[in-house]
Amino acid sequence: EAGVAQSPRYKIIEKRQSVAFWCNPISGHATLYWYQQILGQGPKLLIQFQNNGVVDDSQLPKDRFSAERLKGVDSTLKIQPAKLEDSAVYLCASSLVPGGHGYTFGSGTRLTVV
Amino acid sequence: QKEVEQNSGPLSVPEGAIASLNCTYSDRGSQSFFWYRQYSGKSPELIMFIYSNGDKEDGRFTAQLNKASQYVSLLIRDSQPSDSATYLCAVKGGNTPLVFGKGTRLSVIA
């Protein structure tokens, strides 16, 4: 089975610019997550989708971050405008069901804001 | 706010020894407990999960859970240099998302 696909792998932008990340989950996985992992820390949930609906976005900085999962398959996470503290790895994960044990993570997008 | 606490390390053990990694969590309603391994520059990969009090063994790995003490541990027997990585403890309750600790960096010295 193909894994979780993410792109781009790396991105460098200047502060105040905008950026978008893309994720394609494992086929058939209804639940999709975006996590932010700052260097030296564990992943922190930004948003959880169930099909094309948002289940949990309580930790998403909504003044600058947005995410969508049109048609309940692939998803896009956007940051506009970016700040220096947004430098992190953005990990997408999917699971078959919300309570499924463990997630499968994509390879992540490493964002550097300068 | 649910919290998962881990000692950041580094934890250094000689090759062939037992590595013991520990984790505590704040939410008594947590139901499922996971250990992920993350190599530098890579994404986390699931190595163990445990739901019930007691021990669960898988090859060289043993996960231990004590819900009364809100404590989870991972033992790695016969540690190898290839086990050198950051180990992330993660906790969830029901259909809620995984909450991760900061991870413990393990270094196995040949």
Side-chain angles (χ1 to χ4, degrees), chain A residues 94-105:
Chain A
S94 70
S95 64
L96 189 59
V97 294
H101 57 258
Y103 306 157
T104 302
F105 282 89

Side-chain angles (χ1 to χ4, degrees), chain B residues 24-28 30 33 52-54 65-72:
Chain B
T24 59
Y25 58 94
S26 64
D27 183 6
R28 286 197 171 273
S30 300
F33 307 87
S52 305
N53 277 331
L65 174 62
N66 183 327
K67 289 187 177 180
S69 301
Q70 296 175 238
Y71 178 88
V72 193

Side-chain angles (χ1 to χ4, degrees), chain A residues 9-10 33 35 37 40-45 48 55-56 59 91 98-108 110, chain B residues 1 8 32 34 36 38 40-46 49 51 86 88 92 94-103:
Chain A
R9 284 285 283 128
Y10 305 94
Y33 312 84
Y35 279 83
Q37 187 173 23
Q41 298 186 19
K44 183 186 86 169
L45 180 74
Q48 175 189 352
V55 175
D56 184 348
Q59 298 187 84
L91 294 163
H101 57 258
Y103 306 157
T104 302
F105 282 89
S107 55
R110 182 177 298 275
Chain B
Q1 180 74 5
S8 60
S32 310
F34 303 84
Y36 281 80
Q38 187 172 31
S40 181
K42 302 295 185 183
S43 58
E45 57 176 324
L46 179 66
F49 61 89
Y51 298 148
T86 295
L88 298 164
K92 73 190 305 289
N95 290 339
T96 60
L98 285 177
V99 177
F100 286 86
K102 291 186 176 182

Side-chain angles (χ1 to χ4, degrees), chain A residues 8-9 14-15 20 38 41-42 45 50-51 58 60 67 69 71 77 82 85 90 97 107-108 111:
Chain A
R9 284 285 283 128
E14 295 183 350
K15 59 184 179 183
I38 294 172
Q41 298 186 19
L45 180 74
Q50 177 66 20
N51 296 309
S58 58
L60 186 74
R69 192 184 183 196
K71 302 179 182 178
L77 177 69
E85 58 261 36
Y90 291 85
V97 294
S107 55
L111 173 68

Side-chain angles (χ1 to χ4, degrees), chain B residues 8-61:
Chain B
S8 60
L11 173 66
S12 294
V13 300
E15 183 175 0
I18 296 175
S20 178
L21 304 160
N22 305 312
C23 169
T24 59
Y25 58 94
S26 64
D27 183 6
R28 286 197 171 273
S30 300
Q31 298 177 11
S32 310
F33 307 87
F34 303 84
W35 284 99
Y36 281 80
R37 178 176 61 201
Q38 187 172 31
Y39 292 113
S40 181
K42 302 295 185 183
S43 58
E45 57 176 324
L46 179 66
I47 54 173
M48 289 283 293
F49 61 89
I50 186 167
Y51 298 148
S52 305
N53 277 331
D55 294 0
K56 179 181 179 182
E57 187 174 319
D58 183 1
R60 296 186 296 112
F61 298 96

Side-chain angles (χ1 to χ4, degrees), chain A residues 3-114:
Chain A
V4 177
Q6 287 190 248
S7 67
R9 284 285 283 128
Y10 305 94
K11 191 74 177 178
I12 301 175
I13 62 171
E14 295 183 350
K15 59 184 179 183
R16 292 187 290 275
Q17 286 187 325
S18 62
V19 64
F21 314 127
W22 175 81
C23 172
N24 192 7
I26 292 173
S27 178
H29 279 198
T31 311
L32 184 148
Y33 312 84
W34 283 101
Y35 279 83
Q36 178 194 58
Q37 187 173 23
I38 294 172
L39 185 65
Q41 298 186 19
K44 183 186 86 169
L45 180 74
L46 292 175
I47 190 166
Q48 175 189 352
F49 291 95
Q50 177 66 20
N51 296 309
N52 61 348
V54 175
V55 175
D56 184 348
D57 64 355
S58 58
Q59 298 187 84
L60 186 74
K62 298 181 186 63
D63 58 334
R64 297 184 301 106
F65 286 66
S66 64
E68 60 184 11
R69 192 184 183 196
L70 301 176
K71 302 179 182 178
V73 181
D74 55 352
S75 176
T76 302
L77 177 69
K78 297 179 181 178
I79 308 175
Q80 180 178 13
K83 292 185 175 182
L84 296 177
E85 58 261 36
D86 298 331
S87 294
V89 175
Y90 291 85
L91 294 163
C92 179
S94 70
S95 64
L96 189 59
V97 294
H101 57 258
Y103 306 157
T104 302
F105 282 89
S107 55
T109 295
R110 182 177 298 275
L111 173 68
T112 302
V113 182
V114 297

